[in-house]
Amino acid sequence: MRARLADIAEQADVSEATVSRVLNGKPGVAESTRQAVLTALDLLGYDRPSRLRRKSAGLVGLVMPELTNPIFPAFAQIIETALARHGYTPVLCTQTPGGVHEDDYVQMLLDRGVAGIIYVSGLHADSSTDPQRYVKLRERGLPIVLVNGFLEGIDAPFISNDDVASMELALTHLVHLGHTRIGLAVGPDRFVPVIRKIAGFRNSMATLLGREDVEDLIERTMFTVEGGAAAANRLLDKGATAIVCGSDLMALGAIRAARQRGLDVPRDLSVVGYDDSTLIAFTDPPLTTVRQSVQAMGEAAVRALLDEIAGEPAPRAEYVFRPELVVRGSTGACPKG
């Protein structure tokens, strides 16, 4: 897009002559002014002249699941922005059912000489997977960071949401509203975040309600709208008055299932989502959900990877970020009777 000097000057709060000097590489412009003009170019969507473009420090792979769940594009945007700020060019690799396998993406990235890889909810989140794929990458010296999933024996930093705390926040809220028959709708329990959510659910049900046996209130399904609806139907058949879901999409499915039965949310059924993904505040009703610290987690993942690339590795630990409960209109007092 061809830059208009007047637009850039107005955005940067400088004269058109100053903009011209910066774009043409002329001397006599303060560095702060030069940066203001370049920032104005970026904000207005204009291409920088080739000599003024940032030099790439290298490629970084970003491997994550499909992008239909809004939480993954949110992670991608934050991580890609942070990488670009440090001069790295992100290469996004998304996995779809029946599509390119994670290992094939990684080989492609290795062939292109990437400086490192950040994984978000990759195979490392599957407790049944073989950790050797990651061990081998570290043995060849490739820096990696793994987000939302933990495997023992991998020489890399892990960034995780506190799934146990997530359940504590959601259940405390529902118990305060008078609910005692609370169901949990989650994905397959081979995934580390699901395993931890189930553990947190059991702990909080025991602590808050004195209920030790809650297996009948746990439904394992798929992380989709349809999966949430199926789980909700089974939990409603068991008399649940509130449902905590493993994702916002599942929560939307639970609300749909309730409405198909002629039930009102939250009068007849309270629903709590998980992630606080984009636009969830504008659903009908606005969804009460557990918000992951996506901004902080994404930036921490990039910081950890850059430290690894610089030869200053972070301590080998799992960095756990506490979530936040966002109360909206999908939860209410337990129905009487």
Side-chain angles (χ1 to χ4, degrees):
M1 187 187 301
R2 185 174 176 79
R4 291 185 61 223
L5 294 185
D7 294 339
I8 302 167
E10 181 180 358
Q11 178 71 34
D13 195 22
V14 298
S15 69
E16 291 184 34
T18 298
V19 172
S20 179
R21 295 184 72 82
V22 172
L23 297 184
N24 290 298
K26 302 293 185 182
V29 180
E31 180 60 24
S32 59
T33 302
R34 179 178 174 278
Q35 287 301 323
V37 171
L38 294 178
T39 300
L41 268 178
D42 297 339
L43 289 173
L44 292 171
Y46 293 130
D47 294 329
R48 294 187 181 195
S50 57
R51 65 180 173 279
L52 298 177
R53 289 173 190 164
R54 295 186 183 95
K55 300 295 188 290
S56 176
L59 303 177
V60 168
L62 175 53
V63 179
M64 60 173 47
E66 37 68 35
L67 300 178
T68 53
N69 186 332
I71 196 63
F72 295 125
F75 266 114
Q77 183 175 22
I78 289 162
I79 291 172
E80 289 181 339
T81 300
L83 285 170
R85 196 162 57 237
H86 291 278
Y88 286 89
T89 302
V91 181
L92 179 61
C93 302
T94 57
Q95 303 172 74
T96 55
V100 180
H101 191 274
E102 179 180 303
D103 293 341
D104 296 325
Y105 270 133
V106 170
Q107 187 57 54
M108 177 198 75
L109 293 169
L110 293 174
D111 291 343
R112 284 158 177 75
V114 292
I117 301 176
I118 296 175
Y119 296 83
V120 178
S121 299
L123 289 177
H124 68 283
D126 188 336
S127 62
S128 67
T129 198
D130 182 1
Q132 283 303 304
R133 56 172 47 87
Y134 304 108
V135 172
K136 289 176 181 176
L137 288 176
R138 290 299 299 126
E139 286 176 346
R140 64 184 292 166
L142 184 75
I144 62 174
V145 175
L146 302 116
V147 180
N148 276 344
F150 181 78
L151 279 175
E152 292 282 356
I154 300 175
D155 176 31
F158 289 84
I159 309 290
S160 299
N161 178 72
D162 191 336
D163 294 296
V164 173
S166 298
M167 293 298 102
E168 179 188 357
L169 289 168
L171 288 170
T172 298
H173 170 62
L174 293 170
V175 169
H176 284 167
L177 291 171
H179 295 275
T180 58
R181 193 79 181 164
I182 304 168
L184 175 64
V186 286
D189 60 8
R190 70 178 186 273
F191 295 112
V192 173
V194 174
I195 294 169
R196 291 176 172 180
K197 284 184 178 71
I198 291 174
F201 180 78
R202 293 184 189 279
N203 291 345
S204 291
M205 288 291 279
T207 301
L208 297 169
L209 296 173
R211 291 202 56 170
E212 299 288 346
D213 183 13
V214 294
E215 183 58 36
D216 64 321
L217 292 172
I218 302 172
E219 289 292 338
R220 300 160 179 83
T221 178
M222 302 304 295
F223 281 115
T224 61
V225 171
E226 293 75 17
N233 277 317
R234 292 193 290 269
L235 290 167
L236 284 166
D237 288 341
K238 297 173 183 177
T241 63
I243 300 175
V244 179
C245 298
S247 75
D248 289 335
L249 291 182
M250 295 180 75
L252 296 181
I255 292 172
R256 175 196 288 179
R259 285 180 171 160
Q260 288 175 342
R261 288 178 172 232
L263 301 177
D264 179 80
V265 176
R267 186 186 64 224
D268 303 311
L269 177 71
S270 288
V271 177
V272 179
Y274 181 85
D275 284 335
D276 195 31
S277 36
T278 309
L279 302 181
I280 283 301
F282 306 101
T283 57
D284 179 25
L287 187 66
T288 294
T289 188
V290 178
R291 175 185 293 160
Q292 284 198 70
S293 301
V294 177
Q295 184 80 36
M297 291 171 66
E299 291 180 351
V302 171
R303 275 199 311 273
L305 187 75
L306 296 180
D307 287 345
E308 297 282 319
I309 293 172
E312 302 168 357
R316 291 302 181 251
E318 182 180 19
Y319 300 90
V320 180
F321 288 73
R322 187 169 177 84
E324 174 189 357
L325 180 71
V326 182
V327 178
R328 299 194 182 105
S330 66
T331 50
C334 180
K336 296 178 181 178

